[in-house]
Amino acid sequence: MYEISRKQGKERRKIVFPARLHVRDITEDVVGLDIAQMGCRIKSRYRLNILSKLILEFYIPSKKEEGKYIVGDPMGNVIVRWTKPSKQEGYFILGLEFGAEPRENHGITELLGGRRCDTAEKLKCQNSSLMGHYAECFACGQKSIRQYSLKNRAVHIQNNIFGIPTYSEPVPGLDPIDYNLLYLTICPNCHFTAPGDEFFKISKEDEPYHHTFPSAKFSEKWSEVQAELSEKYEKLKDNIDGEERSIDQALLSYELATRTFETLCEVNPTNGAFVGLLAMIRTRHSQVCITYPGDSPEKGKERAYELLLEAQKDLDENFEKLDELQSLLATQLLIAISIYFKDIDITGKYMKYLDRFDSREKPDEDSQIGKTLLQVRTNVEELYKKRHEYHKDQLKTFLPL
């Protein structure tokens, strides 16, 4: 769900980087674990309180002297959004939000434009639109799992009406690829399946984004699910980790991911992130079904409809588990699905939620919540204005006319 309405260039990049924080009388060199346009994760020796404000400086590799670093200008008004213990004893992982849009002099541009992860073992790709690396499964510890990423601006992308990207022609000189088929990474050992960045280890500093692993409770539940799906996996496993995943293999990957996040929701019933990701996976799965319907376009559509309604049910029934950002993104998806199916009750319910959120929270326009609210409002207004065009009887696919 977290990529809904998010532009490609602003996605979170998993890249290890050095930085320095200043808060009160504390100055500490820290390790960054990933970065996005409006925030990052760092590993620190200090468990700072949520909503604490700090100053952050990024160490940037010098272009003049190899192995040397320069310090970017200090970025003030950085806010601690969450904190959790690190797997490394004596350290904590902090989720930071930048209080304002970073400027070039802060040095973040260098990091966002850099390679996806400088410490990951690279995987050579035959398809020129892809880049890859080897990862480790957080669930079972399996190493050397092939994982693929789409190169920036490699292919033309258009979001469907639910905010899911669709991939068309590549830019001149690159190979075509439908990244929806490779979006999910499958562990060949335990069959844990998920979007790669948050749920697979790709550098020695890396830690799981959520409180998930190791978990005896999860492992016990997942072993039951794995046993149910192992026969299906065995039939389709040949080259399932390759660059040319078949339609049947891609559909299996979404089935595995769905079961993965259903299990995570079961053992972590208060974690809204898993609810959101489950709904997002179902929604992306629906795009694959309508793009590749097999022998029967009607059956492909029917399955796509089922998945959308399941995603709607996931979010509507578990909405109170979502945090502010998750709830805004979920609201946009709920309204889009309800317009598609002409469910005026759901449309009205979540249009009212947006109005109440705006009047109750009054977020700062420059904060991540404020920017997300503005973007969601803009997208929802566009959806509502064209609601008669976006009904399922009017569209052959999920792309706007």
Side-chain angles (χ1 to χ4, degrees):
M1 188 174 69
Y2 301 100
E3 77 219 281
I4 290 173
S5 305
R6 188 193 286 174
K7 292 183 180 176
Q8 197 75 0
K10 293 189 177 182
E11 289 181 355
R12 192 171 63 88
R13 297 182 66 84
K14 185 160 279 192
I15 180 170
V16 177
F17 59 90
R20 182 167 63 197
L21 70 78
H22 307 271
V23 57
R24 301 186 297 274
D25 57 345
I26 298 170
T27 296
E28 180 194 14
D29 284 330
V30 296
V31 174
L33 302 175
D34 61 38
I35 193 162
Q37 190 71 22
M38 289 304 293
C40 65
R41 283 192 303 154
I42 63 169
K43 183 186 289 186
S44 166
R45 286 173 294 169
Y46 297 93
R47 183 169 197 160
L48 301 179
N49 293 330
I50 294 173
L51 300 183
S52 296
K53 291 187 178 180
L54 54 88
I55 296 170
L56 195 63
E57 296 172 305
F58 297 98
Y59 289 105
I60 311 159
S62 171
K63 293 179 181 177
K64 296 180 180 178
E65 297 181 72
E66 190 173 348
K68 299 287 186 181
Y69 286 82
I70 59 174
V71 182
D73 287 350
M75 183 185 294
N77 199 26
V78 178
I79 301 164
V80 179
R81 280 297 175 190
W82 55 264
T83 180
K84 68 170 188 176
S86 167
K87 289 173 67 178
Q88 184 177 352
E89 190 175 348
Y91 284 83
F92 300 90
I93 308 297
L94 310 181
L96 306 181
E97 178 186 328
F98 305 146
E101 194 88 15
R103 297 189 301 275
E104 192 167 342
N105 58 307
H106 293 132
I108 187 174
T109 308
E110 298 287 331
L111 295 171
L112 287 172
R115 289 179 292 176
R116 202 166 180 85
C117 181
D118 290 334
T119 58
E121 184 185 352
K122 301 299 183 292
L123 168 64
K124 189 174 181 181
C125 297
Q126 298 300 312
N127 188 303
S128 57
S129 292
L130 292 174
M131 54 187 178
H133 53 254
Y134 291 97
E136 178 181 331
C137 179
F138 277 126
C140 71
Q142 175 72 23
K143 300 181 187 298
S144 300
I145 301 170
R146 294 181 182 183
Q147 193 171 85
Y148 302 96
S149 306
L150 188 66
K151 288 181 180 175
N152 248 351
R153 303 181 186 88
V155 299
H156 296 289
I157 298 173
Q158 182 181 7
N159 277 3
N160 71 17
I161 62 172
F162 309 114
I164 297 297
T166 67
Y167 305 91
S168 55
E169 294 300 311
V171 300
L174 295 184
D175 297 322
I177 185 73
D178 184 349
Y179 187 62
N180 281 326
L181 304 180
L182 284 175
Y183 172 70
L184 295 163
T185 299
I186 306 169
C187 174
N189 179 50
C190 74
H191 307 158
F192 182 93
T193 304
D197 276 1
E198 296 183 10
F199 295 95
F200 290 86
K201 183 172 183 175
I202 63 174
S203 76
K204 63 181 181 181
E205 291 284 353
D206 204 10
E207 297 191 16
Y209 191 71
H210 303 288
H211 295 275
T212 313
F213 309 109
S215 165
K217 191 176 179 183
F218 171 80
S219 298
E220 182 182 343
K221 291 283 185 185
W222 185 244
S223 63
E224 297 170 11
V225 175
Q226 182 189 2
E228 292 175 30
L229 295 169
S230 59
E231 185 178 348
K232 199 167 186 178
Y233 178 83
E234 287 299 315
K235 287 180 181 176
L236 293 169
K237 70 177 182 180
D238 288 350
N239 207 35
I240 199 169
D241 61 349
E243 298 173 31
E244 297 183 6
R245 192 175 279 172
S246 71
I247 306 306
D248 285 342
Q249 289 173 332
L251 291 171
L252 174 62
S253 76
Y254 282 94
E255 185 179 344
L256 289 167
T258 298
R259 298 300 301 275
T260 296
F261 283 93
E262 285 175 339
T263 307
L264 286 170
C265 287
E266 188 178 346
V267 300
N268 297 269
T270 61
N271 193 322
F274 298 140
V275 173
L277 282 161
L278 175 59
M280 183 273 292
I281 286 163
R282 291 198 205 274
T283 308
R284 195 181 277 249
H285 189 178
S286 73
Q287 174 62 41
V288 175
C289 288
I290 207 160
T291 306
Y292 306 100
D295 296 333
S296 170
E298 285 310 309
K299 283 189 176 178
K301 270 190 178 182
E302 187 179 321
R303 179 61 180 139
Y305 294 166
E306 288 173 359
L307 288 161
L308 289 173
L309 291 172
E310 287 168 2
Q312 178 179 276
K313 185 179 179 183
D314 289 336
L315 294 176
D316 187 42
E317 292 185 353
N318 297 282
F319 196 78
E320 73 284 350
K321 298 176 183 177
L322 307 177
D323 66 21
E324 289 180 332
L325 183 59
Q326 294 161 3
S327 71
L328 289 173
L329 296 173
T331 295
Q332 180 180 318
L333 179 55
L334 282 161
I335 290 172
I337 294 173
S338 67
I339 285 174
Y340 186 72
F341 288 108
K342 278 191 179 176
D343 187 341
I344 58 175
D345 291 339
I346 293 289
T347 304
K349 176 181 177 180
Y350 288 98
M351 295 281 274
K352 287 177 184 174
Y353 172 79
L354 270 187
D355 290 338
R356 289 198 307 272
F357 186 97
D358 202 356
S359 60
R360 183 182 68 241
E361 303 298 335
K362 295 183 173 57
D364 185 334
E365 290 182 1
D366 290 327
S367 70
Q368 187 177 9
I369 296 295
K371 288 175 183 291
T372 303
L373 175 62
L374 177 61
Q375 187 175 12
V376 168
R377 273 201 166 283
T378 302
N379 292 338
V380 164
E381 285 170 11
E382 179 72 8
L383 284 165
Y384 193 73
K385 185 171 72 175
K386 295 186 176 181
R387 62 192 181 280
H388 301 299
E389 300 173 29
Y390 289 167
H391 183 243
K392 67 184 178 68
D393 293 339
Q394 301 298 317
L395 295 176
K396 291 184 178 179
T397 69
F398 294 149
L399 291 173
L401 296 172

